[in-house]
């Protein structure tokens, strides 16, 4: 093996670690965006569900994506353990770890729709099913030998495969679980249920922003000619534009520079550029991010009015921005970059409607599959465990205590059980 082989392997391993560290960003983002009484639960479930996703992906997920099979699914390479293979110019084990990190992120996005009301047992069962039957099928279609790959659909790092797939599963859960107690009034108006720590949320977004360089730039799968730097440049520009666009939109329309909207704008820019980061020029990356930042604001308002309770805005950030990002390559892909990375140039570069049509087909088919399969799986889980949702009493008490028997902030929240023994501690209303 030559020096370039080992440099490529080292770069992708570093990118893998960055993507796995994005789980830490999601912990802070989700915990900060929800109420204090559920913070410990959110942090803990992120870790153990990534553990479940890792084992399931090792057993069957990787094989369903990259194994030899048909246009719908792969059927080999289960229980991956070959230390001699070379895949995409990399040691097979490193390629496996990189793909596993993506699967874990998709699952974490899906769980955004479960927040603050789903049973712990539901998280566990859905983690198994999603990692085996939802994410791998979509990934096989686009990144394996599936039918959308045959049409040369452009999705460099996963606006469709990771983000839209996760968001459609979150939508299924949000609809079946129904809104949190107190979210909507009898007249249909929505109440703001603010997260308990904007500093955590902002720090989580920063961690995700940094981790995204592993996500997008790492998907170059090597260091040849330094192309990963160009991808990183586009990624950063889109995130910056998304944050500024969301800030401007919120400020102009509401009179306030709402912090959660700004943070979601940055994430929307990152999600949108994920498909197109290797296909577009920097000016287009800025435009893609700007549009993502605007549409995420309106999307958040739309879901609120539609009484779809999305506590961490997974549907807007990962779903709507994921759709826009996927379609954007159909407009802005340049002939040179399309030739390098697959597919055809976009509409604005004389490519006509062909690539835009493929991108649209990918969005519709992958989105429908992820949503419908998730609905079916959740209905099966409901039949097995009795209910997807904790009881009203448990929801009001908080999932930290009702599902785990302890608080994420034990010094700040008095456990109800202590009152039985005459223990008096400071109480914070939650």
């Amino acid at each position: 093996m030559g020096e370039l082989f080992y440099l490529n392997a080292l770069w992708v391993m570093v990118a893998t670690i960055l993507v796995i560290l994005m789980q830490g960003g999601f912990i802070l983002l989700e915990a900060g965006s929800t109420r204090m009484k559920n913070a410990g639960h959110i942090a803990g479930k992120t870790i153990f569900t990534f553990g479940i996703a890792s084992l399931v992906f090792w057993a069957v997920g990787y094989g369903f994506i990259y194994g030899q099979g048909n246009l719908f699914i792969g059927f080999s390479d289960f229980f991956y353990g070959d230390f001699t293979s070379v895949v995409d110019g990399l040691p097979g084990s490193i390629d496996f770890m990189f793909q596993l990190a993506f699967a874990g992120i998709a699952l974490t996005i899906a769980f955004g729709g479960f927040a603050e009301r789903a049973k712990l047992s539901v998280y566990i069962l859905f983690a198994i099913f999603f990692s085996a039957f939802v994410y791998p099928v979509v990934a096989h279609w686009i990144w394996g030998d599936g039918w959308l790959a045959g049409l040369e659909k452009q999705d460099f790092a996963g606006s469709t495969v990771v983000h839209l797939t996760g968001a459609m599963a979150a939508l299924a859960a949000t609809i079946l679980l129904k809104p949190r107690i107190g979210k909507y009034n009898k007249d249909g108006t929505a109440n703001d249920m603010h997260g308990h720590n904007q500093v955590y949320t902002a720090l989580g977004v920063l961690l995700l922003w940094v981790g995204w360089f592993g996500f997008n730039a790492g998907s170059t799968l090597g260091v040849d000619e330094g192309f990963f730097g160009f991808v990183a440049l586009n990624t950063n520009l889109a995130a910056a534009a998304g944050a500024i666009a969301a800030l401007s939109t919120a400020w102009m329309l509401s009179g306030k520079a709402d912090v959660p909207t700004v943070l979601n704008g940055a994430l929307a820019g990152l999600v949108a550029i994920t498909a197109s980061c290797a296909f577009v020029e920097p000016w287009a990356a800025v435009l893609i991010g700007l549009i993502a930042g605007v549409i995420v604001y309106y999307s958040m308002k739309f879901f609120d009015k539609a009484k779809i309770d999305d506590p961490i805005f997974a549907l807007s950030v990962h779903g709507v921005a994921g759709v826009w990002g996927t379609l954007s390559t159909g407009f802005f892909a340049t002939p040179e970059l399309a030739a390098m990375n697959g597919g055809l140039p976009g509409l604005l570069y004389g490519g006509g409607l062909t690539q835009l049509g493929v991108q649209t087909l990918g969005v519709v088919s992958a989105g429908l599959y992820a949503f419908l399969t998730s609905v079916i799986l959740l209905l099966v889980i409901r039949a097995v465990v009795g209910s997807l949702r904790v009881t009203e009493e448990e929801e009001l008490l908080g999932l930290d205590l009702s599902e785990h028997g302890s608080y994420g902030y034990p010094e700040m929240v008095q456990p109800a059980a202590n009152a039985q023994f005459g223990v008096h501690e400071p109480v914070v209303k939650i």
Side-chain angles (χ1 to χ4, degrees):
M1 300 295 181
E3 183 177 303
L4 183 59
F5 175 82
Y6 293 109
L7 282 174
N8 289 342
L10 180 60
W11 161 237
V12 176
M13 196 66 229
V14 169
T16 301
I17 293 168
L18 283 173
V19 177
I20 292 175
L21 280 176
M22 289 172 71
Q23 297 287 350
F26 276 112
I27 288 175
L28 289 171
L29 168 66
E30 291 189 38
S33 301
T34 52
R35 289 166 293 179
M36 183 185 294
K37 62 184 179 182
N38 300 312
H41 164 78
I42 285 171
K45 67 86 181 164
T46 303
I47 298 300
F48 75 70
T49 54
F50 181 61
I52 292 172
S54 297
L55 294 177
V56 175
F57 193 80
W58 164 71
V60 297
Y62 186 85
F64 283 156
I65 299 174
Y66 295 107
Q68 294 182 351
N70 52 41
L71 295 177
F72 183 78
I73 196 168
F75 284 117
S76 64
D77 296 332
F78 299 135
F79 299 96
Y80 188 85
D82 183 1
F83 65 89
T84 63
S85 63
V86 175
V87 180
D88 291 330
L90 298 168
S93 55
I94 291 179
D95 181 73
F96 172 89
M97 287 296 297
F98 192 55
Q99 302 302 329
L100 162 64
F102 279 56
I105 295 298
L107 176 63
T108 301
I109 293 167
F111 279 150
F114 293 64
E116 299 202 296
R117 57 221 196 269
K119 284 183 175 178
L120 185 64
S121 56
V122 172
Y123 277 103
I124 293 171
L125 292 172
F126 191 76
I128 295 171
F129 291 143
F130 180 88
S131 301
F133 303 118
V134 181
Y135 175 82
V137 172
V138 175
H140 177 78
W141 289 0
I142 298 171
W143 288 344
D145 292 327
W147 65 281
L148 284 170
L151 297 175
E152 294 196 283
K153 180 181 182 299
Q154 295 168 339
D155 190 5
F156 194 71
S159 287
T160 302
V161 175
V162 177
H163 296 279
L164 181 60
T165 299
M168 290 299 98
L171 176 61
T174 303
I175 292 173
L176 291 176
L177 282 163
K178 299 180 180 175
R180 293 167 291 174
I181 295 172
K183 176 61 182 176
Y184 294 103
N185 301 311
K186 290 183 178 178
D187 63 2
T189 56
N191 294 312
D192 287 329
M193 301 180 79
H194 298 292
H196 82 279
N197 194 323
Q198 288 189 352
V199 177
Y200 279 11
T201 306
L203 183 55
V205 170
L206 179 62
L207 282 175
L208 289 170
W209 190 324
V210 173
W212 231 284
F213 294 123
F215 216 81
N216 288 2
S219 292
T220 57
L221 302 181
V223 299
D224 303 20
E225 301 181 0
F227 185 63
F228 65 89
F230 180 79
V231 173
L233 169 64
N234 279 344
T235 301
N236 198 65
L237 289 173
I244 299 304
L247 165 69
S248 304
T249 305
W251 209 344
M252 286 189 294
L253 297 180
S254 71
K256 298 293 182 183
D258 180 60
V259 172
T261 301
V262 175
L263 300 176
N264 286 331
L267 292 176
L270 288 163
V271 169
I273 199 63
T274 297
S276 51
C277 52
F279 292 93
V280 301
E281 295 288 349
W283 70 266
V286 173
L287 185 58
I288 290 168
L290 285 171
I291 294 173
V294 173
I295 62 177
V296 80
Y297 174 85
Y298 287 102
S299 175
M300 291 162 60
K301 300 295 182 186
F302 168 78
F303 285 119
D304 223 21
K305 286 188 177 179
K307 297 184 181 179
I308 297 175
D309 184 15
D310 180 17
I312 63 167
F313 307 109
L315 307 180
S316 300
V317 170
H318 301 281
V320 176
V323 170
W324 160 236
T326 302
L327 298 180
S328 70
T329 64
F331 292 104
F332 302 114
T334 73
E336 180 186 9
L337 293 169
M340 282 177 58
N341 299 295
L344 297 171
L347 180 64
L348 298 183
Y349 286 88
L353 295 171
T354 303
Q355 191 64 45
L356 185 58
V358 171
Q359 300 300 102
T360 305
L361 180 63
V363 165
V364 174
S365 57
L368 279 177
Y369 174 81
F371 176 75
L372 294 175
T373 308
S374 296
V375 168
I376 293 169
L377 292 175
L378 286 167
L379 291 176
V380 171
I381 292 171
R382 187 170 69 182
V384 171
V385 303
S387 171
L388 297 175
R389 187 165 175 159
V390 296
T391 65
E392 182 175 330
E393 181 184 27
E394 290 169 334
E395 185 175 337
L396 292 172
L397 189 60
L399 300 185
D400 280 10
L401 191 61
S402 66
E403 294 288 70
H404 305 278
S406 61
Y407 279 116
Y409 300 96
E411 294 87 358
M412 301 182 70
V413 182
Q414 181 185 20
N418 281 357
Q420 300 175 17
F421 302 100
V423 177
H424 300 293
E425 298 176 357
V427 176
V428 175
K429 281 191 175 183
I430 52 179

